[in-house]
Amino acid sequence: MRRTYDLTVTAISVALGLLWLWVARTVDGDDEFAPLGIEFGGLTVAVLLFLWLRRSRPVLLGLLLGVVGIALPSVGGLSAAALVGVASRRGARWAFLIFVVDAALILSLFQEEGGPTREYWETAAVLLMADLVLISAGLLLRSHRALVRSLEERARQAEEGQRLRVEEARHLERERLAREMHDVLAHRISLLAVHAGALEVRRGASEEETRAAGVIRECAYDALEDLREVIGVLRAAPDADADRPQPGLADLTALVEESRRAGARIELTARLPDEDPGRAGRHAYRIVQEGLTNARKHAPGARVRVTVDGGPDDGLSVELTNPAAVSGGLPGAGAGLIGLRERVDLVGGRIEHGWTGTGEFRLRAWLPWRP
């Protein structure tokens, strides 16, 4: 972009210089100026200097082209552009220094032409006024650039301030959620664990009651540990849980065994290669976990069949089926299935659920092996 801008400015300046050369030779004749070979040679050298020094040495370029431009009209356009560049990049002090040099050269040339006649004074006034206009344009461009930089800096500071305010509000909201979860859920789960422990050691309890109470107590303790982890994540930075261990396909067996200890009847079939699917495995674990939870709520005591298979070429398939409940189960809002659909859609998978023709409820999902 910068190179294109420089080439455009150079082309316009050369065109103006050639126009000025044609007008000057048409009005005054060819005898008043240097031969065309010298004009075009000087113009070529001036173009190279302009492209080389325009940004790195604008003051030196302005002095050189200011001197050459007085003798060679074809360089006049580049000399004007160089003067604008000095004013816009180095400020008024250096620009007026070049103006003084140009004025001294012009007045000295007038003396060589035989003295300060009216015609030459008018010409000198026009040339010097043109220099002042060019300097004013350069200073205006300089102030415009400074204004743009100031506005950009203000916009950047405003965006940064807005980002900090959003992060602060998000942090406060996470703190509030963590506090609510700790004050409400942790208290109730702790009471559940205490009562389950008391039931487990109660005299006269049957073996089945003692075993069920033990399962309830262990599940309550596990729930407390999970709750503490969630609260820790909420209170930490947003990226603090990026490397936190997550359950995967290797933990399906432990998940099923935990449900079996609670009295569920589960048949697990897993046909998987040794390769870890990464995120797909974590999503599959959550799908199985939610499916088992729904089966316990809506079809307690029913046999649940869990099938997980796939590979790098075919993707990962998860299917859970269970018959309808014999007796009424717990009510549900369907939020778990909605969350599963959102989870699967995020990785480009598919999920479906509903009743089959044989009267069973089926939850089926497909996930890409490496989403």
Side-chain angles (χ1 to χ4, degrees):
M1 184 67 182
R2 178 177 294 182
R3 176 59 61 182
T4 303
Y5 178 76
D6 289 345
L7 292 176
T8 302
V9 172
T10 304
I12 295 175
S13 300
V14 170
L16 291 175
L18 293 177
L19 178 62
W20 173 244
L21 175 64
W22 177 76
V23 171
R25 285 181 175 269
T26 301
V27 174
D28 296 334
D30 294 340
D31 296 336
E32 299 292 333
F33 301 97
L36 288 178
I38 296 177
E39 288 280 358
F40 289 117
L43 179 61
T44 302
V45 175
V47 168
L48 296 177
L49 289 174
F50 188 82
L51 292 174
W52 180 30
L53 301 176
R54 181 172 181 267
R55 295 184 181 276
S56 60
R57 299 289 187 274
V59 177
L60 177 61
L61 179 65
L63 290 172
L64 292 176
L65 295 186
V67 174
V68 177
I70 295 176
L72 302 178
S74 60
V75 186
L78 292 174
S79 176
L83 184 57
V84 174
V86 172
S88 64
R89 287 179 170 80
R90 295 295 183 265
R93 183 178 60 180
W94 292 103
F96 281 109
L97 174 63
I98 296 178
F99 172 77
V100 170
V101 173
D102 286 347
L105 290 174
I106 291 173
L107 293 178
S108 63
L109 289 177
F110 290 163
Q111 293 297 329
E112 292 180 1
E113 292 292 338
T117 62
R118 178 180 178 182
E119 180 181 357
Y120 283 109
W121 276 120
E122 291 176 351
T123 304
V126 170
L127 293 176
L128 295 179
M129 286 296 297
D131 284 349
L132 291 176
V133 171
L134 293 173
I135 292 174
S136 300
L139 294 177
L140 181 62
L141 181 60
R142 179 182 178 86
S143 63
H144 175 71
R145 288 174 179 172
L147 177 61
V148 170
R149 285 194 297 268
S150 175
L151 294 177
E152 289 177 350
E153 180 64 20
R154 289 183 181 180
R156 188 192 64 80
Q157 292 178 357
E159 291 178 358
E160 182 68 16
Q162 178 66 18
R163 185 186 65 83
L164 292 177
R165 286 190 293 271
V166 170
E167 289 184 358
E168 180 66 18
R170 188 178 301 166
H171 179 71
L172 293 176
E173 182 65 16
R174 290 163 70 100
E175 284 282 350
R176 187 187 66 82
L177 290 174
R179 187 166 54 252
E180 291 292 330
M181 293 176 67
H182 179 271
D183 293 343
V184 178
L185 293 180
H187 174 70
R188 294 190 177 183
I189 295 176
S190 299
L191 288 178
L192 177 62
V194 170
H195 287 298
L199 181 61
E200 187 178 7
V201 298
R202 185 176 66 87
R203 294 180 180 180
S206 64
E207 183 179 351
E208 292 182 358
E209 291 175 342
T210 302
R211 185 169 60 252
V215 171
I216 295 174
R217 179 178 53 80
E218 291 178 3
C219 291
Y221 285 149
D222 292 339
L224 278 175
E225 291 297 324
D226 293 340
L227 182 61
R228 291 191 185 98
E229 288 186 8
V230 173
I231 292 175
V233 171
L234 286 174
R235 286 176 173 170
D239 298 333
D241 61 335
D243 299 329
R244 189 167 60 93
Q246 297 286 339
L249 292 179
D251 302 298
L252 283 179
T253 302
L255 176 64
V256 170
E257 289 298 328
E258 179 182 344
S259 297
R260 285 172 178 168
R261 289 197 303 270
R265 296 185 297 164
I266 303 172
E267 178 184 340
L268 174 63
T269 302
R271 297 184 294 268
L272 297 168
D274 295 334
E275 181 182 352
D276 183 15
R279 291 173 56 196
R282 296 195 293 272
H283 292 312
Y285 178 92
R286 296 303 183 188
I287 292 172
V288 174
Q289 185 181 45
E290 180 62 25
L292 294 178
T293 301
N294 287 338
R296 286 195 302 269
K297 290 170 56 178
H298 304 295
R303 180 178 295 276
V304 182
R305 294 191 301 273
V306 181
T307 304
V308 183
D309 60 4
D313 298 330
D314 302 326
L316 187 60
S317 298
V318 181
E319 183 175 339
L320 292 89
T321 56
N322 60 269
V326 178
S327 59
L330 296 175
L337 293 176
I338 295 175
L340 288 184
R341 182 172 297 279
E342 294 176 351
R343 177 188 292 270
V344 171
D345 290 342
L346 284 176
V347 297
R350 300 186 299 271
I351 187 171
E352 58 183 16
H353 55 83
W355 296 101
T356 64
T358 59
E360 292 183 324
F361 184 82
R362 179 173 61 192
L363 173 64
R364 178 188 296 171
W366 177 87
L367 302 168
W369 188 259
R370 290 288 183 182

